[in-house]
Amino acid sequence: MNYIRFNRIHRFIIAITIVLGCMSANAQNGGSMSSYSRFGLGLLNEQSQGWNRAMGGVGVALPSGNKLNTMNPASYAHIDSLSFIMDIGMSGNFGYMSMAGSSINTNNASFDYLAVGFRLRKNLGISFGFKPFSTIGYNYTTTNNEAYRDQTTGELVRNTTNYQGKGGLNQIFAGLGWKPFSNFSIGTNVSILWGGYDHLMMQEFTVNNSSSSYFDGFNFIQHADVVTYKLDFGAQYAFRVSSNDWLTLGATVGLGHKFDGEAFLYRFMTTGDTLRVDGEKNGFDLPMTYSGGVAWHHKNILTVSADVHYQTWDGCRVPAMVINGDNVTYPSTDKMYKDMYMIKAGLEYTPNPMATRGYHKRMKYRLGLSYSSPFMNIQQGEGKLATTHEGPSELGVSLGFGLPITNRINNRSMVNVGLQWLRRSPSSQNLVTENYFVLNLGVTFNERWFMKFKIQ
C-alpha cells in the first residue's frame, strides 16, 4: 500500500512539472502568425480542448466524466470517482494570407493547453491547468508604391513600413464543480492572467533607389506588462426525455473588470537611441462574457450539441498610439473593440463503445461548425486621413477522431486528432484575408489512481 501511495505522489509531481514546463515554453512562443494579432491584446485563443475542438468548440452543456471539460467548471462535478485525468493539447497551423492580389504562406506550431482533474469527494470535482488567453505574433511589411518628390532636393522618395510584434496573455486556472442535488451542478474557475506585448513599427525611406535605414519619422516601440485575475461561473442541468435520451442545458458567466498594467510608447531615430514618449497605467479591461448551450445524448452512442457566446468588448480599453501631425500620444482608448458573438455546433458518434471486436467501432467520430463576428476595429492611416474598418469575422469547419490508446474495452485514455479549416474574412478589400488548416492533437490520460485495493 505504501508503494502504491508513493507511485501516485510521484506521478502527481511529474504532472505538476509538466504543467510548469509547458507554461514556461508557451510564454516564449507567440503561437500566432496573423497580422490581426497586431491590435489590442492580440487574437483570442480557442478555449476548447482536443476532443471538443473537432466538434466546433462546443462545451457549455457537455459534462466531464472520463474526460475534462474546462469550458464550463460545473462539469467537474461529473468526474469519475476513480480517475485521475490529464489532458494535453498542441496544434500546427498552415496558413494562406492574401490581399490586393498578393499572397503569402505561413506555418506555425503551438502548445495549446494542459489540464488536470479528479474528484475530491462525492459530487465535488477539481481541475487546474494552463491555457493561453491571447497571442501576438506577426512580421510583415507595407510599401507605398506611389513615390513623392522632395520639395527641397527634388529627389524621388518611397517609404516602406515594417511591423513586428510578439507576446500575448497566458492563463493558469483552478476550478471546482459541485453537484448539490441530482442532475444539477455548479462551478467556478479562478484564473491568473499575465503577459504583455512588444509592437515595433519602423519606417525605411528609399531616395532615388538608395535606402536609408532610419529616418526622422515614425519609428516606435509599444511595450506593456500586465497581471490580473479572471472569474468564471457555470451551471449545468440534465434531464431525461426518454429511456435512451437525455438533454443537458448549460450556462456560464465571466466577470469583466478593469485591471492594472504598465504600457509605454518609445520613439527612436537610430539603433540604441530611444525616447519615451508616453505611458499609461490601469488602461486595460476584460469584458463580461455570457454563454449558453444545449446537448442531446442518445444512449452512449451519439451526442449533438450547440453553444452561443456573447462578449462585451465594446467599451473595453487598451492603450493605442495616436498620431496627429508631429504630436504622438499613447492614451487608453475604448475604440479598439466591438461586442462579439460566437455560434458553435458539433456532434460525436461512437458506433459501439462496448464492442469486443472491431477497434473502429469504439472510435469516436466528430464534426463541427463555428462562426464568430468581428471583435476588433482596425484603423488604417493616421491623423485626418485615418479610416476605421471592422476586423475579420471567422468561419470554421472541423472534423476529427477519438482513438482509444489500447484495444481493451473500457479503456479511457484517448488520442484526439482533429483538422480545422478557418477563414478570417475582413469587411474591407484593403485588409488581409486569412485561410488556415489547423491540425489539432490532444491526449487524454485517464488512470484509476483512487481505486481501493484489497489485501488478502
Side-chain angles (χ1 to χ4, degrees):
M1 293 295 292
N2 289 336
Y3 173 76
I4 294 172
R5 187 179 296 113
F6 173 78
N7 242 359
R8 293 171 179 170
I9 295 173
H10 184 246
R11 286 181 288 182
F12 184 78
I13 293 173
I14 292 175
I16 295 298
T17 303
I18 293 175
V19 172
L20 296 176
C22 291
M23 287 166 48
S24 176
N26 195 81
Q28 302 174 27
N29 181 14
S32 171
M33 291 295 291
S34 172
S35 58
Y36 293 113
S37 66
R38 174 188 168 203
F39 303 97
L41 294 172
L43 288 179
L44 301 179
N45 282 72
E46 174 63 57
Q47 295 301 297
S48 59
Q49 295 155 250
W51 63 272
N52 58 341
R53 192 163 296 185
M55 299 171 64
V58 294
V60 177
L62 297 178
S64 295
N66 298 332
K67 54 186 178 293
L68 289 174
N69 175 19
T70 59
M71 292 182 64
N72 189 338
S75 67
Y76 307 153
H78 301 275
I79 296 176
D80 185 272
S81 61
L82 302 178
S83 297
F84 177 90
I85 307 173
M86 178 185 293
D87 196 356
I88 304 172
M90 60 199 70
S91 61
N93 300 274
F94 308 91
Y96 173 83
M97 304 181 186
S98 60
M99 183 183 71
S102 300
S103 62
I104 187 173
N105 295 323
T106 66
N107 58 79
N108 186 49
S110 63
F111 171 79
D112 292 335
Y113 65 88
L114 190 150
V116 172
F118 51 90
R119 179 175 290 191
L120 289 176
R121 54 176 299 179
K122 185 178 180 179
N123 297 328
L124 182 64
I126 185 173
S127 180
F128 57 90
F130 167 80
K131 291 182 179 182
F133 179 78
S134 68
T135 55
I136 297 171
Y138 61 91
N139 186 348
Y140 67 95
T141 299
T142 61
T143 301
N144 182 5
N145 292 319
E146 297 181 3
Y148 66 91
R149 192 171 297 277
D150 190 290
Q151 296 180 358
T152 303
T153 64
E155 297 174 315
L156 290 176
V157 179
R158 289 185 174 87
N159 75 290
T160 299
T161 305
N162 178 247
Y163 299 90
Q164 298 179 34
K166 62 181 181 179
L169 298 184
N170 299 295
Q171 176 181 200
I172 55 173
F173 71 92
L176 291 172
W178 176 49
K179 186 162 61 175
F181 54 86
S182 179
N183 299 332
F184 178 74
S185 60
I186 56 176
T188 182
N189 275 336
V190 180
S191 304
I192 299 296
L193 303 180
W194 83 97
Y197 56 74
D198 288 290
H199 297 291
L200 168 68
M201 185 180 82
M202 186 177 71
Q203 289 185 323
E204 180 180 86
F205 284 76
T206 302
V207 180
N208 288 340
N209 296 321
S210 176
S211 65
S212 174
S213 297
Y214 294 92
F215 184 80
D216 187 6
F218 299 126
N219 302 307
F220 294 100
I221 297 174
Q222 303 173 55
H223 174 79
D225 292 301
V226 299
V227 177
T228 188
Y229 67 91
K230 185 171 179 285
L231 293 176
D232 297 278
F233 302 92
Q236 289 184 339
Y237 177 68
F239 58 95
R240 284 198 174 274
V241 294
S242 73
S243 59
N244 294 322
D245 303 276
W246 67 97
L247 286 177
T248 303
L249 304 178
T252 65
V253 175
L255 302 184
H257 61 87
K258 300 178 181 180
F259 64 93
D260 297 341
E262 293 188 340
F264 303 103
L265 177 66
Y266 299 92
R267 183 172 182 174
F268 62 94
M269 307 300 179
T270 60
T271 303
D273 176 18
T274 59
L275 173 66
R276 176 175 162 181
V277 177
D278 200 2
E280 182 73 31
K281 288 189 175 182
N282 308 323
F284 299 87
D285 293 294
L286 286 178
M288 291 289 298
T289 62
Y290 308 91
S291 63
V294 59
W296 170 60
H297 314 269
H298 176 68
K299 297 182 178 179
N300 290 319
I301 295 175
L302 178 65
T303 296
V304 180
S305 185
D307 292 349
V308 176
H309 303 257
Y310 180 69
Q311 301 183 0
T312 61
W313 283 98
D314 188 16
C316 288
R317 303 165 304 145
V318 68
M321 183 170 59
V322 177
I323 300 175
N324 188 6
D326 292 331
N327 185 36
V328 183
T329 56
Y330 198 49
S332 181
T333 177
D334 60 359
K335 306 299 182 182
M336 296 289 291
Y337 297 119
K338 295 172 57 66
D339 287 352
M340 178 179 68
Y341 66 87
M342 293 180 285
I343 301 173
K344 303 178 179 183
L347 64 85
E348 178 183 85
Y349 173 67
T350 309
N352 186 354
M354 303 301 293
T356 57
R357 293 183 181 181
Y359 178 84
H360 65 283
K361 295 181 181 179
R362 291 188 288 107
M363 289 173 52
K364 299 181 182 299
Y365 301 86
R366 297 159 177 153
L367 290 172
L369 294 170
S370 64
Y371 172 82
S372 64
S373 67
F375 88 104
M376 61 178 67
N377 290 316
I378 297 175
Q379 180 176 297
Q380 291 185 303
E382 306 294 345
K384 297 181 179 180
L385 299 178
T387 57
T388 300
H389 304 278
E390 283 188 346
S393 59
E394 183 175 288
L395 176 66
V397 180
S398 58
L399 60 88
F401 306 93
L403 308 174
I405 289 180
T406 72
N407 200 35
R408 300 195 315 269
I409 299 175
N410 284 333
N411 179 72
R412 302 177 178 190
S413 296
M414 188 83 60
V415 175
N416 300 295
V417 181
L419 180 65
Q420 289 178 290
W421 171 72
L422 298 175
R423 179 179 176 86
R424 296 192 181 109
S425 303
S427 60
S428 170
Q429 295 181 351
N430 296 323
L431 297 175
V432 176
T433 298
E434 299 181 350
N435 291 275
Y436 292 94
F437 286 98
V438 184
L439 178 63
N440 299 303
L441 177 64
V443 182
T444 299
F445 296 100
N446 188 326
E447 294 194 13
R448 295 189 173 187
W449 279 22
F450 305 106
M451 181 178 291
K452 296 180 179 180
F453 293 89
K454 296 182 178 180
I455 298 178
Q456 297 181 354

